[in-house]
Amino acid sequence: MTSSVMNRPEGKVLETVGVFEALKQHGKYETGQLFLHSVFGYRGIVLFPWHARIYDRDVIPPIKPEPPGSHGSKEVKGKTHTYYQVLIDTRDCPHISQRSQTEAVTFLANHDDSRALYAIPGLDYVSHEDILPYNSTVQVPIQHELFERFLMFNPDKTTPAPPFSARDTLKAWQEKNHPWLELSDVHRETTENIRVTVIPFYMGMRDTQNSHVYWWRYCIRLENMGSEVVQLRERHWRIFSLSGTLETVRGRGVVGREPVLSKEQPAFQYSSHVSLQAPSGHMWGTFRIERTDGSHFDVRIPPFSLESNKDDKAPPAGYTF
């Protein structure tokens, strides 16, 4: 069975890229695994896995007898789930229409401007169930500036493993940048068939005039699990800082867009940044969604923590080897 890249412009001939492999129901995909993204349709390759904790507010925990004197707990229990650090094929980036950007990793730049960010394009985090694995006989099947720095073609006919293995530069890069790459917590909640998934990342701390400023990146995906066409119109955020401040942010759309979520294009994903003058805090809120008949409803954004790393070090100067 051959596979083709989705979301190509009209009139373009679809391109054969390889042969689909069986999905892994158990275990994880290995470094060098080629795949198509099941939601956004791009070609990619797995660099290494992350073991994240998913806090899913749609999952009802089993009722357990409570000890005398307890007042009941509404805490959402985390469940371990595998995500992957991947490279995106740069040829597919222009065609990923339901993403506000195709880079998923940003760092604080190493100079005095505390708002300066350094982006690594074409680096993404992908959940295990979004992987559609395939194989290819092409020695450089993915076009990305880091592909040949991180991976080498090393076929072994005696094993079913992918023919690409990690170079020492990938292992060194992962180890060096681990605090700024690490994916640890994923938060998820569904309201009226619209599922919101949030992944926060700590980016580091900056000294500014007599205070510390802590920075986080957060990635949000909205998914329409139903058949009704809807459009995101407004966002409403509440940002609480450990210093005691509570900020309210309202605005049109997200990152300058008001995406439509339909059966054909059910998902939209974007990343943004937040800073606090405290080492931790919380964020939560709602998205105002509009139906085709003009009526509205609010979709909950699951509350999530903003936590700084205890072993806070100076941020890296981009990806170095």
Side-chain angles (χ1 to χ4, degrees):
M1 178 179 179
T2 57
S3 56
S4 302
V5 177
M6 296 171 272
N7 296 335
R8 288 293 189 197
E10 239 180 281
K12 294 285 185 180
V13 177
L14 290 177
E15 175 186 340
T16 299
V17 298
V19 179
F20 275 130
E21 297 177 348
L23 300 177
K24 281 203 173 183
Q25 305 296 338
H26 305 286
K28 63 181 186 294
Y29 296 107
E30 298 179 50
T31 295
Q33 176 65 61
L34 295 165
F35 70 92
L36 291 183
H37 195 294
S38 66
V39 176
F40 299 112
Y42 64 72
R43 287 167 287 184
I45 192 164
V46 170
L47 295 180
F48 45 81
W50 292 111
H51 298 295
R53 293 185 302 274
I54 288 191
Y55 297 90
D56 194 337
R57 292 177 175 268
D58 302 329
V59 177
I60 301 173
I63 299 174
K64 296 181 180 178
E66 294 181 2
S70 69
H71 300 286
S73 172
K74 293 185 178 179
E75 181 183 357
V76 179
K77 300 295 183 183
K79 182 180 179 182
T80 302
H81 191 73
T82 302
Y83 274 72
Y84 300 95
Q85 194 91 67
V86 308
L87 295 180
I88 302 174
D89 194 312
T90 55
R91 293 169 293 184
D92 297 338
C93 290
H95 312 299
I96 308 175
S97 60
Q98 291 300 91
R99 295 278 289 267
S100 63
Q101 65 279 313
T102 51
E103 76 276 353
V105 173
T106 46
F107 300 105
L108 290 173
N110 247 349
H111 50 71
D112 293 337
D113 183 357
S114 63
R115 296 184 62 84
L117 299 175
Y118 187 95
I120 301 180
L123 194 64
D124 202 3
Y125 295 86
V126 180
S127 177
H128 184 87
E129 65 268 18
D130 287 339
I131 298 278
L132 297 176
Y134 74 90
N135 60 60
S136 172
T137 56
V138 180
Q139 290 195 21
V140 186
I142 300 296
Q143 288 190 12
H144 190 287
E145 63 174 339
L146 298 178
F147 179 84
E148 291 186 89
R149 294 189 189 183
F150 283 171
L151 300 160
M152 68 178 87
F153 187 66
N154 188 24
D156 183 350
K157 304 295 184 184
T158 63
T159 71
F164 304 98
S165 56
R167 294 182 184 272
D168 291 340
T169 48
L170 174 59
K171 298 169 186 174
W173 180 81
Q174 179 187 5
E175 184 177 342
K176 177 181 179 181
N177 297 304
H178 185 279
W180 325 105
L181 293 170
E182 183 180 14
L183 182 158
S184 58
D185 295 344
V186 179
H187 303 266
R188 184 179 288 165
E189 185 168 2
T190 304
T191 308
E192 296 197 35
N193 285 327
I194 306 299
R195 185 167 72 185
V196 178
T197 303
V198 184
I199 307 177
F201 300 88
Y202 178 56
M203 294 173 57
M205 181 267 292
R206 273 295 174 76
D207 287 316
T208 58
Q209 301 167 342
N210 301 320
S211 68
H212 299 312
V213 178
Y214 299 82
W215 283 85
W216 290 265
R217 175 177 79 256
Y218 57 91
C219 178
I220 292 187
R221 184 196 291 191
L222 294 99
E223 293 175 89
N224 186 351
M225 314 301 286
S227 56
E228 188 178 17
V229 178
V230 297
Q231 185 170 13
L232 189 156
R233 290 299 193 187
E234 298 174 16
R235 69 188 185 279
H236 176 204
W237 280 108
R238 305 274 279 176
I239 306 168
F240 175 76
S241 169
L242 187 64
S243 62
T245 60
L246 180 62
E247 182 182 1
T248 299
V249 178
R250 291 181 181 270
R252 295 286 296 180
V254 289
V255 291
R257 295 175 64 171
E258 297 180 22
V260 173
L261 304 177
S262 64
K263 200 168 184 179
E264 293 72 31
Q265 292 191 313
F268 181 80
Q269 185 168 311
Y270 74 96
S271 293
S272 191
H273 302 88
V274 62
S275 63
L276 299 176
Q277 290 185 330
S280 64
H282 287 84
M283 288 179 67
W284 68 96
T286 56
F287 292 121
R288 175 61 58 91
I289 305 293
E290 184 178 70
R291 301 184 181 93
T292 52
D293 63 4
S295 62
H296 296 84
F297 62 97
D298 287 335
V299 168
R300 291 183 297 275
I301 303 169
F304 58 97
S305 298
L306 301 171
E307 301 291 346
S308 58
N309 293 350
K310 292 177 183 177
D311 54 341
D312 199 1
K313 300 174 185 176
Y319 52 89
T320 54
F321 304 94

